[in-house]
Amino acid sequence: MSEEAPAGKATILVYSDDRSTRGQVRLALGRRVAADLPEIEIVECATHQAVSKTLDAGGIDLVIMDGEAVPAGGLGLCRQLKSEIYDCPPVLVLTGRPQDAWLATWSFADHVVPHPLDALALANGVADVVRGTVRA
């Protein structure tokens, strides 16, 4: 007996100036991060201006930010978004190394995954966050 897939989509914004990092995130997440969650749709942004414009348009369930992005790093941008956007979507930050977890706390990130990216850790982190925020 197969379980019916949940309706709706979870829309995830992925911010990194590095195309390969965005590709690694896309590959790690696939079409669905967990059987009990709806399919995901990924929106990629390479600049902080694109992130702002996309968030202003609405409909984002989760933001994944590359803490190593330049010139606007994901940690600083996360802090700015959390301070300036009412009801900001949750943010998962990719840190440069595990020791940078304290920076994620400073940035008000909801979850952190260190580089090098572990596909399972990223998918599990996204699933945990999306379970609390996805819209039908």
Side-chain angles (χ1 to χ4, degrees):
M1 181 185 249
S2 66
E3 200 173 299
E4 188 174 323
K9 278 199 184 255
T11 304
I12 299 174
L13 184 154
V14 178
Y15 165 65
S16 178
D17 67 313
D18 185 342
R19 182 181 354 180
S20 67
T21 299
R22 294 191 311 268
Q24 287 176 351
V25 169
R26 182 181 287 281
L27 185 62
L29 299 182
R31 290 181 39 213
R32 184 184 308 266
V33 293
D36 65 323
L37 294 174
E39 287 189 12
I40 61 172
E41 177 180 351
I42 294 178
V43 176
E44 294 184 23
C45 294
T47 67
H48 71 279
Q49 293 92 344
V51 170
S52 295
K53 184 177 179 180
T54 302
L55 288 174
D56 285 346
I60 300 297
D61 296 298
L62 170 67
V63 180
I64 298 176
M65 299 223 163
D66 181 1
E68 302 297 303
V70 290
L75 292 160
L77 187 53
C78 175
R79 185 173 174 95
Q80 179 183 349
L81 295 174
K82 290 289 193 167
S83 298
E84 295 177 359
I85 297 177
Y86 174 75
D87 203 19
C88 183
V91 179
L92 182 149
V93 175
L94 307 174
T95 58
R97 54 199 182 128
Q99 297 86 346
D100 292 337
W102 71 272
L103 284 169
T105 301
W106 168 85
S107 73
F108 304 125
D110 297 283
H111 196 77
V112 60
V113 174
H115 280 285
L117 287 181
D118 175 334
L120 186 58
L122 181 59
N124 286 338
V126 168
D128 289 345
V129 175
V130 170
R131 281 185 182 105
T133 62
V134 72
R135 297 184 296 271

